[in-house]
Amino acid sequence: MMTRTRTEFSVVTKTYKVTIVRDGSMCFIPVTFDPKAVFGKVRAPVKVTLNGYTYRSTIASMGGPPCIPLRRSNREAAGLEGRETLEVRLDLDTDVREVKPPADLERALKATSPAWRKWRELSYSHQREYTEAVEAAKKSETRARRIAAAVRTISARPDRQRPPSGRRG
């Protein structure tokens, strides 16, 4: 197994060879090294490059060995089926992670009192999922229904618990 780690200009890169795990429709990329030693934390935001295709993700650690989710859209864009053995390149993702919601979703969120504030508290991944669901709608009725559902769901989220002033949690 070939591994390389490179640090220059604050860019941290790790390239390694691994077999993609596929179980039914679920796919993930095993992380076969200690991400904390390479990226400074286990759940590091990374840019993943497979077969020349790059996407943004976060290393997951849910009780087992660390891995990177491989969504169907990313797998297909990289021309993969799952179960392939290939070289994976991970770059620490230091870019700002923000999602610009479609204008109609943004208007609907701002029109409902807590929704816009709670939208801004959502993780990058959750914002991206809502945005992609709205943008993937083929019919205007479906888009409107998805926007209404998103606003309803986001508005119903409990308020984030914030640490007392001057303390970080």
Side-chain angles (χ1 to χ4, degrees):
M1 178 180 294
M2 178 182 78
T3 61
R4 285 178 280 153
T5 304
R6 174 174 52 101
T7 305
E8 40 185 73
F9 309 109
S10 301
V11 175
V12 179
T13 297
K14 176 75 173 180
T15 301
Y16 64 107
K17 193 168 189 172
V18 70
T19 300
I20 294 172
V21 175
R22 180 167 182 176
D23 184 6
S25 63
M26 188 267 314
C27 278
F28 65 89
I29 303 163
V31 175
T32 58
F33 58 91
D34 178 7
K36 186 171 185 174
V38 175
F39 299 117
K41 61 183 180 177
V42 174
R43 291 184 34 83
V46 290
K47 292 180 182 174
V48 183
T49 303
L50 309 165
N51 275 354
Y53 174 76
T54 301
Y55 70 98
R56 298 172 87 181
S57 191
T58 301
I59 297 174
S61 180
M62 300 173 282
C67 63
I68 301 167
L70 180 55
R71 295 173 45 179
R72 178 178 163 187
S73 59
N74 292 323
R75 181 175 47 81
E76 290 175 350
L80 301 170
E81 291 291 322
R83 300 186 187 94
E84 293 91 348
T85 299
L86 71 157
E87 190 172 274
V88 175
R89 176 182 163 148
L90 302 180
D91 296 296
L92 184 62
D93 187 356
T94 57
D95 295 342
V96 174
R97 289 186 165 207
E98 61 184 1
V99 176
K100 175 78 172 124
D104 48 354
L105 175 58
E106 185 173 338
R107 274 193 307 277
L109 289 165
K110 286 181 174 179
T112 306
S113 179
W116 181 245
R117 175 179 50 81
K118 290 181 179 186
W119 164 268
R120 294 190 342 236
E121 292 175 350
L122 290 175
S123 68
Y124 167 80
S125 297
H126 284 123
Q127 288 181 350
R128 186 192 68 221
E129 288 165 0
Y130 282 113
T131 297
E132 287 176 355
V134 169
E135 290 175 339
K138 292 180 178 73
K139 296 181 180 178
S140 60
E141 298 83 17
T142 304
R143 186 177 179 103
R145 194 170 50 250
R146 289 181 183 177
I147 289 172
V151 170
R152 218 176 19 259
T153 303
I154 294 167
S155 295
R157 291 178 64 90
D159 285 327
R160 264 173 67 175
Q161 298 298 316
R162 298 183 188 277
S165 290
R167 293 185 51 199
R168 298 184 76 157

